[in-house]
């Protein structure tokens, strides 16, 4: 990468990624533990460092334009006058120094503190444990009947060999005159209604289902329970 088109495209791409990071972090379930936050903080501090480096190189790049005689470096504008190229370069240098200083003072201590912070988040070990934990939460938080339908015995599930379909266990939740089924299939957490189910050879086939807000096999059980209860509430509103 060595020409103006590369410079502009890379800067714009970095801006889009930074915006996406902020959007991801705005979700209520964007972090489960302080250790998650430590990983994100570490990455964001590195981004800040690189942004400061880029601003520094930007100032140098403008200086090279001036050295080639292709732009003039005027005297600093007076009070009440619009900023000119001199003020722009000074601002770039000042912001660069400020960011470098902030990262040097705070990055390591902040990341270490987040990483060391104790956490009691009930993060499951695998997809089967997630199903079990969600069933337990729904039993506490839902007025209707909740049943864990086990497909296998304890210790028989291998999380490395589930083919995107979890452990095949599911949870049945009764809501009003409808039954809902919570399960992991096609690498997604899903909820389907019995009224949308077709049964053949003792197998259940769902033609319609709703995908929950995360595909993480070891998702926070409360996140999934909240999704399920929200879907059921919307059906009966």
């Amino acid at each position: 990468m060595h020409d103006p088109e590369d410079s502009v495209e890379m800067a714009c791409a970095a801006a889009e990624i930074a915006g996406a990071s902020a959007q991801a972090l705005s979700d209520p379930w964007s972090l489960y533990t302080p250790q998650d936050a430590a990983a994100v903080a570490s990455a964001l501090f590195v981004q800040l460092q690189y942004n400061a480096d880029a601003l520094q190189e930007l100032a140098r790049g403008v200086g090279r334009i001036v050295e080639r005689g292709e732009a003039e470096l005027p005297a600093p504008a007076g009070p009440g006058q619009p900023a000119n190229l001199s003020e722009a370069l000074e601002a770039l240098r000042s912001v660069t120094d400020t960011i470098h200083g902030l990262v040097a003072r705070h990055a390591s201590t902040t990341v270490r503190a987040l990483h060391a912070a104790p956490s009691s988040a009930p993060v499951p070990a695998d997809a089967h444990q997630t199903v079990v934990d969600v069933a337990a939460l729904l039993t506490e938080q839902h007025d209707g009947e909740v049943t864990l339908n086990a497909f296998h015995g304890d210790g028989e599930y291998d999380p490395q060999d589930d083919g995107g379909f979890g452990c095949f266990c599911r949870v049945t939740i009764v809501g009003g005159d409808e039954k809902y089924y919570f399960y992991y299939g096609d690498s997604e957490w899903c909820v389907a209604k019995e009224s949308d189910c077709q049964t053949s050879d003792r197998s259940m086939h769902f033609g319609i289902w709703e995908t929950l807000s995360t595909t993480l096999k070891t998702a926070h059980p409360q996140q999934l329970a909240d999704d399920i209860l929200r879907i059921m509430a919307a059906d009966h509103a």
Side-chain angles (χ1 to χ4, degrees):
M1 296 181 291
H2 59 274
D3 57 40
E5 184 174 314
D6 293 330
S7 300
V8 172
E9 287 184 354
M10 290 304 298
C12 291
E16 290 181 4
I17 292 172
S21 297
Q23 182 178 2
L25 288 167
S26 69
D27 187 89
W29 289 101
S30 62
L31 301 169
Y32 289 165
T33 68
Q35 289 67 46
D36 294 336
V40 173
S42 179
L44 293 179
F45 276 120
V46 170
Q47 288 182 39
L48 279 176
Q49 180 72 34
Y50 281 139
N51 282 334
D53 293 346
L55 289 170
Q56 187 176 56
E57 293 301 332
L58 178 61
R60 290 171 178 167
V62 174
R64 288 191 291 269
I65 295 173
V66 173
E67 290 174 0
R68 292 197 298 265
E70 295 164 356
E72 293 184 2
L73 190 63
Q81 298 298 314
N84 59 29
L85 187 58
S86 292
E87 276 87 12
L89 288 174
E90 181 55 36
L92 289 173
R93 298 186 187 103
S94 176
V95 171
T96 296
D97 291 342
T98 298
I99 295 175
H100 279 147
L102 289 172
V103 172
R105 288 194 299 273
H106 300 294
S108 295
T109 55
T110 301
V111 172
R112 287 197 192 101
L114 289 169
H115 185 73
S119 172
S120 60
V123 179
D126 54 41
H128 173 68
Q129 190 61 52
T130 304
V131 174
V132 172
D133 291 350
V134 170
L137 285 174
L138 290 173
T139 299
E140 298 174 0
Q141 299 171 13
H142 176 59
D143 292 336
E145 182 181 353
V146 177
T147 304
L148 173 63
N149 305 288
F151 182 81
H152 57 81
D154 292 341
E156 293 180 1
Y157 167 60
D158 182 359
Q160 302 300 320
D161 189 34
D162 66 11
F165 289 89
C167 63
F168 293 97
C169 298
R170 63 174 179 264
V171 180
T172 304
I173 312 108
V174 177
D177 56 357
E178 183 68 86
K179 284 185 178 179
Y180 296 81
Y181 297 95
F182 164 68
Y183 61 97
Y184 191 81
D186 289 331
S187 301
E188 295 178 331
W189 290 109
C190 306
V191 169
K193 294 188 288 190
E194 187 176 59
S195 57
D196 294 325
C197 170
Q198 297 177 349
T199 305
S200 62
D201 300 327
R202 296 183 179 180
S203 297
M204 302 182 70
H205 305 280
F206 299 107
I208 301 174
W209 64 88
E210 290 202 45
T211 302
L212 304 189
S213 61
T214 178
T215 60
L216 188 65
K217 289 182 184 179
T218 54
H220 196 298
Q222 190 63 61
Q223 179 180 5
L224 295 169
D226 287 350
D227 286 348
I228 296 165
L229 294 173
R230 183 170 58 251
I231 289 170
M232 294 175 63
D235 284 347
H236 296 89

